[in-house]
Amino acid sequence: MREYWQRKPCLIQGAIPNWAAPIDRARLFELARDPYVESRLITSFDAQWNVAHGPLSRMPSLRRSHWTLLVQGVDLHDDAARDFLSRFRFVADARLDDLMVSYATDGGGVGPHVDSYDVFLLQASGRRRWRISDKQASRVRPGALLNTVESFSATDEWVLDAGDMLYLPPGIAHEGVALGACISYSIGFRAPEYQQLLDPWFAEFAEHALLRGRYRDPGITPARRPALLPAVMTRDVHAKLSQYQPQRADTERFLLRYLSEPKSTTVFDAPTSAPSRARFRRAATLRGLTLDRRTRIIHSARALGINGEWIDSATAPIAALAKFADRRELSSAMAASLPASAWKVLYQWYRAGWIAMARRSP
């Protein structure tokens, strides 16, 4: 992290030796047919690029070269993929985005392109050749179907075998080409643009700001130029609006909600029949609890955000729930030690499908 993170590429050979990848070709094709899964089929037949968006009911022949299937957010749809993604929680969950899995036939790829986020490229099966350019002049090709760059000139090249992994910081132009059929995993870390944060940040701030009163202008004189904005009105309104300055707590609340917001395609499976809160508590203290694989949850010292909702210490015991968030599992012993104020919140999460009884007692 000190030497490479957001500084320079890093090749890690044998990053996960003797690894049994949780998502194979058959499972990936199954996910691509699901309308709730984000997928793309990218072909470069006869040097012509084409992109088809899922759901994808049919794939090209496995014997045909130069095509790639990309499935985004695999961790949202498969427990084993979610468990695998947890290997990368050495970076905060606020940055960890998702797991994208790709299957490609010989020659398949998406062309040279630039990502605006950190990414680990892990070879799951087969071989892929990666080329990168350290030149900053590469720019996105105008009108391109994909985020490809023009004038790509490689300065480094590696061939990754199963278990090898390449880290790339943001802004590095790169190109991956399959050498025979292969499966690659891409672990991405989101880095929102500040401009993209501005509108939702203002909306969040306005929702919680309390500005009482109404504009008044006693003692004004008759308007000689009716269409002219009165300078006194600008002065007084600006003074009033400027009284409430955003604090660090406002930004923290915004980030907890914004960064825990699920992807737009996420649908939670609420239980068809929920037990009473008392029975739920008894069962949880016997079996433990686990976060649903789709649940996004991050916390600070005083509050937490879960699936776009904000909860502070006045509503729930944050310190206790923060341990749940960090582990993504709550043992039966930990559940038994929770204060009574936690169970109302946990029961609401359970009924929403955000948490479930543990598959095993951790």
Side-chain angles (χ1 to χ4, degrees):
M1 300 293 281
R2 287 192 303 268
E3 184 175 353
Y4 292 98
W5 185 256
Q6 296 213 321
R7 290 179 174 85
K8 58 184 178 180
C10 179
L11 175 66
I12 309 170
Q13 293 180 312
I16 309 181
N18 303 317
W19 176 49
I23 303 296
D24 59 14
R25 185 184 69 199
R27 176 62 173 146
L28 198 64
F29 284 13
E30 177 187 353
L31 288 170
R33 292 191 291 268
D34 191 326
Y36 292 104
V37 177
E38 184 182 351
S39 61
R40 289 172 290 162
L41 176 65
I42 299 173
T43 60
S44 56
F45 303 147
D46 301 321
Q48 295 294 317
W49 289 99
N50 187 57
V51 181
H53 294 270
L56 301 164
S57 57
R58 296 184 62 183
M59 301 293 168
S61 169
L62 298 179
R63 295 189 295 272
R64 189 167 189 179
S65 63
H66 293 86
W67 65 268
T68 299
L69 170 66
L70 301 173
V71 179
Q72 202 79 37
V74 176
D75 53 292
L76 302 176
H77 307 283
D78 189 277
D79 285 330
R82 172 67 248 187
D83 291 343
F84 166 77
L85 189 62
S86 293
R87 290 173 176 258
F88 294 84
R89 295 183 75 204
F90 54 84
V91 179
D93 288 347
R95 289 275 273 115
L96 184 59
D97 191 8
D98 71 351
L99 170 65
M100 183 181 74
V101 180
S102 69
Y103 170 81
T105 58
D106 186 51
V110 300
H113 62 285
V114 175
D115 293 324
S116 58
Y117 48 82
D118 304 270
V119 63
F120 285 98
L121 302 165
L122 175 64
Q123 197 61 25
S125 67
R127 305 169 74 224
R128 184 181 286 271
R129 182 183 68 242
W130 288 101
R131 300 194 303 155
I132 69 168
S133 174
D134 61 5
K135 297 179 180 178
Q136 299 299 315
S138 298
R139 69 186 186 95
V140 176
R141 183 178 291 115
L145 286 172
L146 302 164
N147 193 29
T148 53
V149 299
E150 56 186 10
S151 304
F152 176 77
S153 177
T155 54
D156 292 280
E157 178 179 318
W158 304 277
V159 173
L160 271 61
D161 292 299
D164 293 342
M165 185 166 67
L166 176 64
Y167 162 74
L168 294 178
I172 300 292
H174 56 285
E175 178 191 39
V177 177
L179 304 178
C182 73
I183 296 178
S184 303
Y185 284 25
S186 175
I187 299 94
F189 297 81
R190 55 185 168 171
E193 296 180 5
Y194 289 123
Q195 185 65 38
Q196 293 176 331
L197 298 177
L198 203 57
D199 281 350
W201 182 86
F202 271 125
E204 172 81 14
F205 174 62
E207 181 181 336
H208 291 85
L210 294 175
L211 286 176
R212 304 189 184 282
R214 185 184 296 272
Y215 175 73
R216 299 177 67 251
D217 50 6
I220 62 169
T221 58
R224 295 185 177 182
R225 301 182 62 186
L228 180 66
L229 175 67
V232 65
M233 186 176 192
T234 300
R235 182 199 67 196
D236 291 352
V237 170
H238 177 73
K240 191 66 175 180
L241 295 181
S242 300
Q243 285 181 5
Y244 194 101
Q245 296 292 332
Q247 304 298 314
R248 177 172 174 170
D250 296 306
T251 300
E252 179 182 277
R253 181 183 60 245
F254 161 70
L255 288 174
L256 288 173
R257 292 186 62 181
Y258 182 84
L259 295 177
S260 68
E261 185 72 33
K263 292 182 182 294
S264 58
T265 55
T266 299
V267 178
F268 288 95
D269 301 318
T272 54
S273 59
S276 66
R277 190 193 306 176
R279 292 185 61 188
F280 162 74
R281 181 174 179 175
R282 287 196 297 270
T285 55
L286 289 173
R287 297 175 53 185
L289 294 168
T290 183
L291 291 174
D292 183 88
R293 62 175 179 267
R294 291 155 289 201
T295 288
R296 287 187 181 273
I297 181 170
I298 54 177
H299 67 85
S300 65
R302 298 164 296 187
L304 63 83
I306 177 169
N307 295 328
E309 293 192 5
W310 178 74
I311 298 173
D312 66 359
S313 55
T315 307
I318 298 302
L321 296 178
K323 294 180 181 179
F324 190 9
D326 288 332
R327 293 172 172 83
R328 294 192 69 85
E329 286 189 330
L330 195 68
S331 69
S332 56
M334 291 175 62
S337 66
L338 288 175
S341 57
W343 289 102
K344 180 179 179 180
V345 173
L346 290 173
Y347 186 60
Q348 292 172 345
W349 294 358
Y350 176 76
R351 297 199 63 175
W354 296 353
I355 63 175
M357 296 295 169
R359 287 170 285 176
R360 61 186 184 279
S361 183

